[in-house]
Amino acid sequence: MAETHSITIMLLIFSGKLFMADSKGFFPEANVTCIIHDDCILPCSFRPTGTVVIHWYKQQIPVHSYYYNKDQFGLQNKHFSGRTYLFNSHIPHGNASLLLRRVKVQDKGRYKCYTSTRKGNQEIFVNLEVKALIQSVIMEMSDEMVTCSSQNVYPVPQVTWATDPPSAQDALENATIKITDHKGLFTVESTLRILSNHSNYTFFCSFISADKTQVWTVSRKNQESITQEEGHALSIPCIAPQSLQNFSLSWTFTSSSEFTVILRYDSRTRHTFILWEGQAELDQDLLLLGDGSLLLHKPDSEEHSGTYTCTLSGLQSRHIVLTKVNITVASISVDEQSVQRSWWSTAASAAFVLFTIMLALPQCVRQRGTAMEASHRYNGAGLVHKDQNTTALYINRQHGVECNTLQLQFEAQDELSGSVPKTAEDCTVDVPAGTKIEEEEKTVGPPVEGNDGLQSSSLDKDGFGNIEPRLHIP
């Protein structure tokens, strides 16, 4: 319905122009430009006076005929078969315009509208121009050259090149080729060689339509590679070379031939799609200024190393920034290495002490059991001990070296167990089997006078007046 309404408005406009020309006594030729693959109206009007005959020709080729109040297709050329229509309901009002559907390149040319009534004949000429709009421009870039191309365009557009920073014209010499398909549409490809000192430049390629109504501009920059240590925030720059009103932004990631769209943004809806939620984000304030830089919070060496492509698309414009990013494994600082060495040293020491305790503990248990067994055995044999503490003290003195060694071992693991022998009684003495512990008593005889004039007892004493037992080991 909307299409029919627009066609009716166009007919009224064209009819009005033609009637104005007729009132002045001359009929200028009409110039019409139609979009290929779209429908197009070739205007023609006359003064209705009863029955009318209408013939449309392209040069001498019959396009469409109308007489006896109906369409006649007997003489119609095959090229126009099924594609031409008159507005029959408007013919009585003087409208003989032709609707040409699905315009082709071959439809281009000069058409004649012939009308005949009882008051005479009339001829109106219409020059039809056709064009295929530039739909897109694709830019590809390598280390040695950059190529711009566009497909299905008509007529051939003009191609221009520029760089940022600016370059001399002799550095922008390019080769442009055009290829025509079976429909008459062109594929245009222009190639520019990159000079060695221009590898980091921004390259601009513009396709300008023949009627100057369209100017498509694509720019691309291969930025220097970025190397960053994993775990540290990283900003990948992407700034539009010119201000954009309504634009869309996309970030893609390529690694090991895998292509991933990680982010999309539309300035008209302010809607943002982020696949890497929590890992990547944009600065919303800078976006409105044309800065679409991507912020990676904690990049990982395996997941985030690859090629990042930023694409800013506006009305008949596109800006592409390609950046290779290498995320390296985090290095260990000197302080961290010292801490790690200290930790391992402490752990090794603790393990050694624990191992020593594990070896000594069974021996201590056996020693305690043997000492208790010896004590019970000698007590059971009927030996009389005047002072059992004296006997234990003698045994402890005989084995003091071994007890001290064990005590040092227990002190070494003080931090682990919290138990350290406090006295000699905490140590267990290993008394070999068959050892006799006896306390000799000698008959007290008359005092013997020594050299110093003092009397000496025949009993052995320990220096404190206590009788010291003797230990006999067979």
Side-chain angles (χ1 to χ4, degrees):
M1 180 65 69
E3 182 179 358
T4 304
H5 181 68
S6 62
I7 291 175
T8 304
I9 294 176
M10 293 178 65
L11 284 172
L12 293 175
I13 294 174
F14 284 131
S15 299
K17 290 182 178 179
L18 291 175
F19 279 128
M20 290 177 61
D22 184 46
S23 63
K24 296 179 181 179
F26 61 93
F27 297 89
E29 294 186 356
N31 295 312
V32 177
T33 301
C34 296
I35 307 299
I36 294 174
H37 301 311
D38 286 354
D39 297 341
C40 183
I41 297 177
L42 306 183
C44 181
S45 62
F46 62 97
R47 291 192 176 277
T49 54
T51 304
V52 62
V53 174
I54 302 173
H55 293 288
W56 274 94
Y57 299 93
K58 182 187 176 185
Q59 298 174 349
Q60 303 300 321
I61 300 173
V63 176
H64 195 100
S65 297
Y66 177 91
Y67 48 89
Y68 299 145
N69 295 325
K70 65 179 183 180
D71 296 306
Q72 306 291 337
F73 299 104
L75 300 177
Q76 186 181 46
N77 187 275
K78 292 181 180 180
H79 176 76
F80 298 99
S81 178
R83 297 196 300 124
T84 59
Y85 300 89
L86 296 176
F87 301 90
N88 292 6
S89 60
H90 293 269
I91 291 176
H93 304 288
N95 186 358
S97 300
L98 179 71
L99 174 62
L100 182 60
R101 290 192 178 276
R102 302 181 302 277
V103 172
K104 303 178 181 180
V105 174
Q106 294 79 7
D107 294 334
K108 176 184 176 181
R110 191 166 185 259
Y111 291 77
K112 179 175 70 174
C113 173
Y114 170 84
T115 58
S116 176
T117 63
R118 288 181 298 176
K119 295 208 174 172
N121 303 329
Q122 176 183 288
E123 292 181 352
I124 295 178
F125 294 91
V126 178
N127 295 315
L128 175 61
E129 293 290 338
V130 297
K131 66 179 181 179
L133 299 177
I134 303 172
Q135 301 295 328
S136 66
V137 176
I138 299 174
M139 177 181 280
E140 296 178 349
M141 195 170 181
S142 66
D143 295 336
E144 299 180 352
M145 61 184 59
V146 56
T147 301
C148 262
S149 63
S150 185
Q151 297 180 343
N152 300 326
V153 296
Y154 187 89
V156 176
Q158 178 185 359
V159 182
T160 62
W161 288 91
T163 63
D164 184 22
S167 301
Q169 286 299 318
D170 57 353
L172 298 177
E173 294 183 0
N174 60 88
T176 302
I177 60 174
K178 55 184 180 180
I179 303 173
T180 309
D181 62 12
H182 67 282
K183 296 180 180 180
L185 301 178
F186 292 102
T187 294
V188 179
E189 182 177 284
S190 183
T191 302
L192 177 69
R193 185 171 297 277
I194 300 175
L195 301 181
S196 58
N197 58 341
H198 289 177
S199 58
N200 293 325
Y201 280 32
T202 300
F203 291 86
F204 295 84
C205 170
S206 296
F207 274 56
I208 306 170
S209 63
D211 58 2
K212 312 298 182 183
T213 58
Q214 282 188 293
V215 179
W216 272 77
T217 301
V218 178
S219 59
R220 177 162 176 159
K221 180 179 181 180
N222 287 355
Q223 294 187 133
E224 293 184 354
S225 300
I226 298 177
T227 300
Q228 176 74 358
E229 188 176 276
E230 65 179 358
H232 297 276
L234 169 64
S235 178
I236 306 175
C238 178
I239 302 175
Q242 66 233 7
S243 61
L244 300 175
Q245 297 298 325
N246 296 320
F247 67 92
S248 62
L249 167 66
S250 70
W251 274 96
T252 61
F253 174 71
T254 305
S255 177
S256 301
S257 301
E258 294 183 3
F259 179 83
T260 304
V261 178
I262 60 179
L263 185 146
R264 283 197 184 100
Y265 171 79
D266 192 329
S267 66
R268 291 166 293 186
T269 61
R270 302 287 181 91
H271 175 71
T272 304
F273 162 79
I274 302 180
L275 180 63
W276 289 0
E277 189 70 36
Q279 302 178 27
E281 69 174 353
L282 302 172
D283 190 322
Q284 298 292 332
D285 295 332
L286 294 178
L287 267 176
L288 300 178
L289 302 176
D291 187 345
S293 300
L294 181 70
L295 176 63
L296 298 179
H297 292 295
K298 294 182 178 181
D300 182 80
S301 60
E302 295 184 359
E303 296 182 4
H304 301 129
S305 293
T307 302
Y308 291 79
T309 303
C310 167
T311 304
L312 284 161
S313 301
L315 180 62
Q316 298 185 8
S317 66
R318 182 179 293 111
H319 178 59
I320 302 171
V321 178
L322 188 143
T323 310
K324 292 183 179 180
V325 176
N326 180 32
I327 305 299
T328 60
V329 178
S331 59
I332 301 176
S333 63
V334 176
D335 294 337
E336 291 175 339
Q337 291 178 352
S338 300
V339 171
Q340 287 189 0
R341 284 195 297 266
S342 176
W343 188 91
W344 281 109
S345 177
T346 303
S349 300
F352 177 76
V353 171
L354 183 61
F355 178 74
T356 304
I357 293 172
M358 291 176 65
L359 291 179
L361 187 59
Q363 183 179 2
C364 288
V365 172
R366 289 194 301 270
Q367 289 174 352
R368 181 178 293 274
T370 305
M372 292 178 63
E373 182 181 354
S375 176
H376 286 297
R377 184 170 62 250
Y378 292 130
N379 286 337
L383 294 176
V384 177
H385 301 277
K386 292 183 179 180
D387 191 345
Q388 292 181 357
N389 291 333
T390 302
T391 304
L393 177 61
Y394 180 80
I395 296 173
N396 286 338
R397 285 178 178 175
Q398 293 293 325
H399 300 274
V401 175
E402 182 177 358
C403 183
N404 289 338
T405 302
L406 291 176
Q407 184 169 352
L408 289 175
Q409 292 177 354
F410 283 117
E411 288 176 353
Q413 50 104 16
D414 178 52
E415 292 185 359
L416 297 177
S417 63
S419 174
V420 179
K422 303 301 181 182
T423 65
E425 295 178 355
D426 294 332
C427 298
T428 303
V429 178
D430 187 7
V431 180
T435 303
K436 293 181 180 181
I437 301 175
E438 62 180 9
E439 184 178 311
E440 293 184 356
E441 291 186 11
K442 294 183 179 180
T443 304
V444 178
V448 180
E449 189 172 311
N451 294 333
D452 56 359
L454 298 177
Q455 292 180 349
S456 299
S457 173
S458 62
L459 297 178
D460 294 333
K461 296 184 180 180
D462 59 1
F464 296 96
N466 297 323
I467 297 175
E468 183 175 2
R470 295 176 179 173
L471 180 65
H472 297 278
I473 301 176

